[in-house]
Amino acid sequence: MKTMKEIAKMAGVSQSTVSRVINNNPNVNPEIKRKVLEYIRKYNYQPNRMARSLVKNKSFLIGIVLPELTNPYFPEILESLEEEANYYHYNIVLSITYGSLQREKEQIEMLLSRRVDGLIINPTDLSHVEHITKIKSILPTVICAQDLDGFDYVTVDHYLAGKIVAKYLINKGHINIGYIGYLKDKKLKGFYEEIIANNLNFNEDNYLVAPEEISDSKKISEKKLLTKIIDNNITAVYTINDIIATKVINILIKNKMKVPDDVAVVGFDNTIICNLTNPPLTSVAQPTREIGRKSVDILIKKIEKTNAHTEYILDQIFLPPRLVIRKST
Amino acid sequence: MKTMKEIAKMAGVSQSTVSRVINNNPNVNPEIKRKVLEYIRKYNYQPNRMARSLVKNKSFLIGIVLPELTNPYFPEILESLEEEANYYHYNIVLSITYGSLQREKEQIEMLLSRRVDGLIINPTDLSHVEHITKIKSILPTVICAQDLDGFDYVTVDHYLAGKIVAKYLINKGHINIGYIGYLKDKKLKGFYEEIIANNLNFNEDNYLVAPEEISDSKKISEKKLLTKIIDNNITAVYTINDIIATKVINILIKNKMKVPDDVAVVGFDNTIICNLTNPPLTSVAQPTREIGRKSVDILIKKIEKTNAHTEYILDQIFLPPRLVIRKST
């Protein structure tokens, strides 16, 4: 492994510059920083972390709180969080809440007791975040893949995603489009507004079933879904994630309906699932890698600045979605 | 939150017994231990971990090294590792190797420098494990979901799984069965032996394509696969994982072949994917939860015993697979 001296020599800078880059000191020319980081990355240079830890009284651990790993979307986010944290020579401590608010509270306390330097959280319930607000004043905290007022966050623009899907389906000639998701979701807001702006209807007939009804795959919800689709001449369905979309495709095909000829289906998240369905699934791609990467970047920036008496400026980042068109539409 | 005193009172034991249970002291009656753990779990009692950490000179962190999170099988394992570690009031530090041996070596070093109390590893390459062997003498280490001589491990019995699949397909009347996987894999060994024991043939014609050829989904491998299936009257295909199985199903259907009428397809891992394919996928279920749980149990047992001068006995556990039959066969 290369030493700091060797890294400095190769980058044509002093050892103290390499040290400043490693410690994220702002007084480094960005171009030089980029160059030094390139060499650090190339040779996988690892400063003595134990020594760093002791000197800085830091753990170099980041706590990650996610609701689940079943939907392949979260493992994708997790991979990119891990990769980026690693790049900064931090490690991640993972906690999973299984959608339980109580567990979320406990997990956050547990992570605090492990002396993590910061937290990245995908909250279970955006209307119950008092415990996260409390933590924020003690520890740098970034909300990941959702937006929450008063917090640093990095998320895809769900509102814009909804608009893009509606525009695409309307352009394809669909007039009656169904939705399977939550009413509060911003995915619906943008979608709804675009439909109304095009003088089309969207009412409770278009709100097909709740996602839970599909997940349970009980016969009764299948029948309800099919009845709503047929009775209202629904020719396209917009769903909140790829798993739900796939279940819809399978229900349709099982009932002798053609996808996309009879009903087009759009998923969300553009996970690995999209290329496994038959037909392959059109889906809204989130910039998963970038969400993970930027969440870590922001968190580490805040961690390194914790002791500086600078004004706190929130980083609130909406990243653009991208519709990946496949044969289900 | 309950105090240790309250937990002791409810369980009808002394505080020192509760303390012994928390510290995994073997001198506790198993029945009493069970009862105390029940109350600890029920009230989510959390001993002061910082204090524990300082007193015991331990981090209460477990390093987890996995190759990837794209195949939903690994997130399932990861969920159960996290859950079980949590139960013992340990946290997990996650490292991903992306199948790179170099990265695996670096990650393990990095975890060491974080002073994790033990490691759970799913090795990238079972024929290159010198670095893991070296670590084993310093730090308790458990191999997860694979078996490796000289190590503690918890894995499904891949050999038995192969036998079960072969038996099932032969009973269904299949004579020419194809395989998509690796030659070294124990999944193939059991499968092959069962086929030969039934006086059926298995030669290079049955070894259809390498998994990488399917993953790339290039036209050429599709054609090769179809040609081999048709030329050799293959009526069933056994694959190394659900992702490969799904790709095979989709290639067959795209080419106007019926699953399972023309060709039956069997996956491996019984992941979330199995209920999303059309038709739903028959697959070998690994006891994922149990693999994760037992890996953590064994590791923590070894961690707690590190200082005791007891003979070291390897825990090498093969768990039974289970064939979950769906409509693809």
Side-chain angles (χ1 to χ4, degrees), chain A residues 236-251:
Chain A
V237 180
Y238 170 44
T239 66
I240 51 155
N241 65 45
D242 295 336
I243 295 177
I244 301 287
T246 307
K247 291 191 174 180
V248 171
I249 289 181
N250 289 343
I251 291 171

Side-chain angles (χ1 to χ4, degrees), chain A residues 15 25-27 30 42 55 79 90 121 144 203 213 219 229 258 260 268 311 327:
Chain A
Q15 282 192 58
N25 184 317
N27 300 324
K42 186 171 174 191
V55 170
E79 276 195 353
Y90 278 71
I121 306 179
C144 176
N203 56 42
E213 292 180 80
K219 289 265 163 65
I229 285 176
K258 283 183 185 133
F268 210 103
E311 201 185 341
K327 298 201 168 162

Side-chain angles (χ1 to χ4, degrees), chain A residues 12-248:
Chain A
V13 300
S14 67
Q15 282 192 58
S16 60
T17 300
V18 175
S19 170
R20 276 202 296 275
V21 169
I22 290 165
N23 293 309
N24 252 338
N25 184 317
N27 300 324
V28 184
N29 176 311
E31 185 50 32
I32 287 174
K33 183 176 177 181
R34 199 195 50 73
K35 201 166 154 194
V36 171
L37 284 175
E38 210 169 75
Y39 281 102
I40 287 176
R41 202 164 216 175
K42 186 171 174 191
Y43 293 102
N44 191 48
Y45 169 66
Q46 300 189 2
N48 186 323
R49 273 178 299 277
M50 273 303 286
R52 267 174 86 205
S53 227
L54 289 171
V55 170
K56 298 201 138 202
N57 193 26
K58 281 176 34 178
S59 65
F60 291 92
L61 295 171
I62 295 173
I64 308 285
V65 183
L66 296 178
E68 51 135 330
L69 300 178
T70 305
N71 182 341
Y73 168 67
F74 288 111
E76 281 179 24
I77 292 266
L78 182 56
E79 276 195 353
S80 85
L81 291 171
E82 192 268 349
E83 201 169 3
E84 188 72 0
N86 226 278
Y87 172 64
Y88 285 105
H89 300 295
Y90 278 71
N91 277 90
I92 63 172
V93 185
L94 175 66
S95 279
I96 305 172
T97 61
Y98 302 98
S100 150
L101 198 61
Q102 180 55 30
R103 200 174 159 106
E104 182 174 285
K105 288 176 189 170
E106 291 161 12
Q107 293 296 315
I108 288 174
E109 270 189 43
M110 191 139 170
L111 288 169
L112 272 187
S113 80
R114 293 282 175 257
R115 302 208 303 159
V116 295
D117 294 331
L119 286 172
I120 293 178
I121 306 179
N122 182 278
T124 287
D125 183 348
L126 288 179
S127 48
H128 288 95
V129 293
E130 306 76 20
H131 55 296
I132 309 180
T133 308
K134 218 171 67 188
I135 292 300
K136 194 181 61 163
S137 58
I138 320 173
L139 204 64
T141 299
V142 171
I143 303 297
C144 176
Q146 284 181 310
D147 58 287
L148 187 56
D149 285 345
F151 282 83
D152 294 292
Y153 59 74
V154 184
T155 183
V156 75
D157 189 337
H158 289 97
Y159 173 81
L160 180 58
K163 279 185 103 70
I164 289 172
V165 171
K167 237 177 232 169
Y168 166 73
L169 291 174
I170 293 167
N171 277 341
K172 280 232 148 195
H174 296 283
I175 292 168
N176 294 312
I177 308 173
Y179 170 73
I180 299 177
Y182 301 103
L183 286 175
K184 276 191 193 171
D185 202 320
K186 287 185 184 160
K187 279 170 194 157
L188 176 58
K189 191 163 184 273
F191 182 75
Y192 175 81
E193 289 185 12
E194 187 65 28
I195 289 199
I196 298 305
N198 280 272
N199 299 314
L200 297 174
N201 282 325
F202 191 92
N203 56 42
E204 61 189 20
D205 290 337
N206 302 73
Y207 184 80
L208 302 175
V209 290
E212 294 76 19
E213 292 180 80
I214 291 285
S215 298
D216 280 354
S217 73
K218 299 245 175 66
K219 289 265 163 65
I220 188 159
S221 63
E222 243 185 79
K223 208 181 150 192
K224 182 176 163 193
L225 174 64
L226 288 167
T227 309
K228 279 200 127 176
I229 285 176
I230 294 164
D231 288 357
N232 300 298
N233 294 315
I234 300 286
T235 58
V237 180
Y238 170 44
T239 66
I240 51 155
N241 65 45
D242 295 336
I243 295 177
I244 301 287
T246 307
K247 291 191 174 180
V248 171

